[in-house]
Amino acid sequence: MDKEIIMSKTKILVTGGSGFIGTNLISKFSSKSVEIINIDINEPSDSNQLEYWVNCNILNYSKTKKIISDYLPDYIFHLAAKTDLDGKNISSYSVNTKGVKNIIGAVEKLNSLKYIFFFSTMLVLDTKKVIEDLFDYNPSTLYGQSKVIGEKLVIDSKLNNFIIIRPTSIWGPWFNAPYKSFFQIVSKGLFFGINNNKIGKKTFGYVENLICFLENIIDKDDHNDFKKVYYYGDTYMSMNDFAKLILKDPLVNKNYIQLPYIIFYLLSKFGDLLKLININFPMNSFRLTNIMTTNVIKKDCIY
């Protein structure tokens, strides 16, 4: 990048910086002349980032506000969230709702703050249809519902310098489930593709490209970007195509077999039965539907 977007003494605060995107974000910015704080309840995934870590649960409002008020960040990347689909009720995702409310309360009178990025999810909308209205909320999971609540809190707040990011299927260094396990399965030659030309395509994005995208927003410093929603993705592909991409790695040197759809259908029903007795099986109806459903989002989709 020709122009250095982050100048000396600039302060960056990341919530949930010990996770996948946060680790990559801190890795990128720590190479610049900046100060960084990572607020997280977990130690950093990368031990080299321990110096930036502050052990804090954002559900603790007073502690969170004190850290932010004392630090006076220029940029905040709010990534802290519960992102799995295992919650039994909406209260299981309080970090996505009350946590967002706490962050808003902690920064709404912060004069030093130039940008605050709130990370949401593409699952706030119905992923089975073409997106025409970015606020036609229709989540199919409790996780998605919690992120809808979080988005509405941000949009209805008095903040004027926020940007909401809805990442698509992001992968890259330090990633976890589901793509880490997918890579492992493919690399071990245990992946079986679905022999069906109706297999769905997804929008995928590489994490380092996502971070460059965020850098470009800051670098542009256009306040017309405020109060906007951005999706981010690099390309569209099916899970079969994704497996082929992994298999191009010379260190893998394997191939995969395609099986008829009916086999995966039967396995999904078997997985549904096992789920009733709390046994996790690699295939179930939810996962099969997800694989077969096309969910393509243009990366320039904004309002």
Side-chain angles (χ1 to χ4, degrees):
M1 186 177 296
D2 293 332
K3 181 181 178 182
E4 189 76 3
I5 67 163
I6 303 296
M7 305 303 291
S8 180
K9 296 184 179 180
T10 292
K11 295 181 178 181
I12 291 176
L13 185 144
V14 184
T15 71
S18 297
F20 163 44
I21 294 177
T23 299
N24 285 276
L25 192 69
I26 292 172
S27 177
K28 179 73 172 181
F29 287 137
S30 62
S31 65
K32 304 175 183 292
S33 299
V34 300
E35 294 181 40
I36 301 174
I37 281 183
N38 163 28
I39 295 178
D40 204 308
I41 59 174
N42 299 310
E43 288 192 10
S45 301
D46 183 352
S47 59
N48 294 319
Q49 297 180 6
L50 277 169
E51 64 181 292
Y52 308 119
W53 178 51
V54 177
N55 189 348
C56 175
N57 189 333
I58 62 169
L59 293 178
N60 184 333
Y61 176 69
S62 59
K63 184 176 181 180
T64 300
K65 184 175 181 179
K66 186 176 189 310
I67 291 170
I68 293 175
S69 298
D70 289 347
Y71 185 59
L72 296 177
D74 298 290
Y75 302 97
I76 292 178
F77 297 88
H78 177 53
L79 286 154
K82 176 180 171 64
T83 59
D84 61 52
L85 303 178
D86 301 327
K88 303 301 181 183
N89 49 59
I90 198 67
S91 63
S92 302
Y93 296 91
S94 58
V95 70
N96 302 353
T97 54
K98 183 182 177 182
V100 169
K101 184 177 181 180
N102 285 350
I103 294 296
I104 293 171
V107 306
E108 60 184 356
K109 295 181 180 180
L110 204 64
N111 294 328
S112 66
L113 190 62
K114 297 177 181 178
Y115 284 78
I116 179 166
F117 294 87
F118 287 91
F119 283 73
S120 184
T121 174
M122 62 182 178
L123 298 180
V124 295
L125 301 185
D126 187 347
T127 58
K128 297 179 183 179
K129 66 179 184 180
V130 176
I131 295 173
E132 296 178 352
D133 180 352
L134 290 180
F135 303 101
D136 184 19
Y137 293 120
N138 188 20
S140 59
T141 64
L142 286 170
Y143 166 58
Q145 288 179 34
S146 70
K147 285 296 191 175
V148 169
I149 294 171
E151 282 198 13
K152 288 182 176 179
L153 286 169
V154 173
I155 292 167
D156 293 339
S157 73
K158 296 179 181 179
L159 297 178
N160 295 314
N161 54 355
F162 72 81
I163 295 173
I164 294 175
I165 306 292
R166 293 177 183 169
T168 57
S169 299
I170 307 298
W171 64 283
W174 302 103
F175 63 171
N176 293 304
Y179 297 115
K180 181 177 181 179
S181 56
F182 181 75
F183 265 62
Q184 291 171 339
I185 289 170
V186 174
S187 299
K188 292 177 181 178
L190 301 176
F191 175 78
F192 294 92
I194 300 177
N195 187 9
N196 190 307
N197 58 11
K198 293 183 179 180
I199 188 170
K201 289 189 175 184
K202 312 293 180 187
T203 305
F204 286 87
Y206 186 61
V207 66
E208 292 184 12
N209 293 339
L210 167 60
I211 292 168
C212 286
F213 170 71
L214 299 173
E215 279 191 298
N216 287 334
I217 291 177
I218 296 173
D219 186 35
K220 188 171 59 173
D221 194 25
D222 184 353
H223 291 184
N224 289 322
D225 287 330
F226 288 162
K227 296 187 176 183
K228 286 188 176 179
V229 172
Y230 285 87
Y231 283 92
Y232 184 78
D234 296 323
T235 189
Y236 316 131
M237 66 180 101
S238 68
M239 296 305 288
N240 286 358
D241 294 333
F242 198 15
K244 289 177 184 177
L245 181 65
I246 298 169
L247 292 167
K248 286 182 179 180
D249 186 336
L251 297 178
V252 176
N253 194 28
K254 289 183 174 66
N255 208 334
Y256 71 88
I257 298 172
Q258 292 193 14
L259 300 174
Y261 172 81
I262 186 63
I263 292 178
F264 288 90
Y265 176 79
L266 295 173
L267 287 173
S268 71
K269 295 303 179 184
F270 179 63
D272 292 345
L273 292 174
L274 292 179
K275 189 175 182 179
L276 294 175
I277 53 175
N278 295 319
I279 295 178
N280 188 27
F281 187 68
M283 182 57 63
N284 55 45
S285 293
F286 177 85
R287 289 174 180 167
L288 181 59
T289 299
N290 186 48
I291 291 171
M292 299 303 296
T293 300
T294 290
N295 177 26
V296 171
I297 301 168
K298 293 182 179 179
K299 66 181 180 181
D300 59 352
C301 186
I302 64 172
Y303 83 93

